[in-house]
Amino acid sequence: MTRALIPGSFDPVTFGHLDVIERTARLFDEVLVAVVENPQKSTLFTLDERTEMLAEVTGHLSNLKVDEFEGLLVDFALDRGVNAIVKGLRAVSDFEYELQMAQLNYRLSGIETLFMPTTPGHSFLSSSLVREVARFGGDVSSMVPPPVADRLTVRFRA
Ligand code: PNS
């Protein structure tokens, strides 16, 4: 039984995240998507909202669970018995920081990190850009699943 962990803020989940999640779900028996609660970082959506959106847009994946965590990622990963942490890579610019985290997490826990290249059509996407476009009333329907676009509309409604 192989279990992958995909961690992130998911504020909110985008088609880029979903692409990595779906492709990972085809490679592992089970995938755990973990939404991080970081009290030092302010988010547009609460932890519960981010988790709900993720559960909604991944409901079609039978081998996937959505969970939440606070604290060190490796503590959560060890507790859940995961075989690998999976991170999406959009561009070379992501690599330096992700490599550092992967090496740190390996030093702390012995758990490997695998990088999944984002499908090119999604490589420009980020949650922060989506929030920015939505904040100013732009169309985010090609960037996030419909339930997420709806929540953004409601959140930024004047
Ligand atoms: O979607 P994000 O914000 O890029 O995800 C970053 C995340 C949640 C994967 C990273 O911040 C993380 O692992 N946070 C948990 C705290 C931790 O373990 N930090 C040390 C490893 S760098």
Side-chain angles (χ1 to χ4, degrees):
M1 167 93 165
T2 54
R3 181 178 289 165
L5 171 64
I6 305 182
S9 304
F10 303 106
D11 186 36
V13 56
T14 69
F15 279 133
H17 293 127
L18 205 48
D19 167 52
V20 170
I21 290 169
E22 284 172 343
R23 287 160 58 218
T24 304
R26 292 202 285 269
L27 296 175
F28 287 82
D29 296 322
E30 198 177 294
V31 174
L32 196 53
V33 178
V35 187
V36 68
E37 172 71 321
N38 181 353
Q40 255 102 57
K41 197 170 157 186
S42 74
T43 52
L44 176 64
F45 292 103
T46 65
L47 180 65
D48 283 350
E49 289 171 325
R50 289 179 278 138
T51 306
E52 271 169 31
M53 282 187 275
L54 259 167
E56 220 173 327
V57 304
T58 58
H60 58 295
L61 299 169
S62 57
N63 61 338
L64 183 137
K65 285 192 190 123
V66 181
D67 207 340
E68 302 171 347
F69 80 102
E70 186 175 346
L72 274 185
L73 177 65
V74 290
D75 288 341
F76 180 80
L78 287 169
D79 183 61
R80 297 299 195 275
V82 309
N83 301 95
I85 295 165
V86 174
K87 295 290 198 75
L89 277 189
R90 289 167 298 191
V92 177
S93 50
D94 282 343
F95 182 71
E96 209 171 330
Y97 180 57
E98 290 296 344
L99 178 66
Q100 197 180 10
M101 279 204 283
Q103 290 171 332
L104 172 73
N105 285 334
Y106 185 81
R107 173 70 60 85
L108 288 172
S109 68
I111 297 176
E112 302 284 3
T113 294
L114 304 179
F115 295 127
M116 170 77 76
T118 305
T119 298
H122 297 314
S123 59
F124 68 96
L125 262 181
S126 71
S127 296
S128 58
L129 282 182
V130 166
R131 293 195 302 271
E132 175 101 353
V133 172
R135 188 183 305 278
F136 295 110
D139 179 9
V140 293
S141 59
S142 67
M143 304 173 205
V144 293
V148 178
D150 291 347
R151 290 219 195 201
L152 283 162
T153 305
V154 171
R155 184 55 47 97
F156 290 120
R157 192 174 282 156

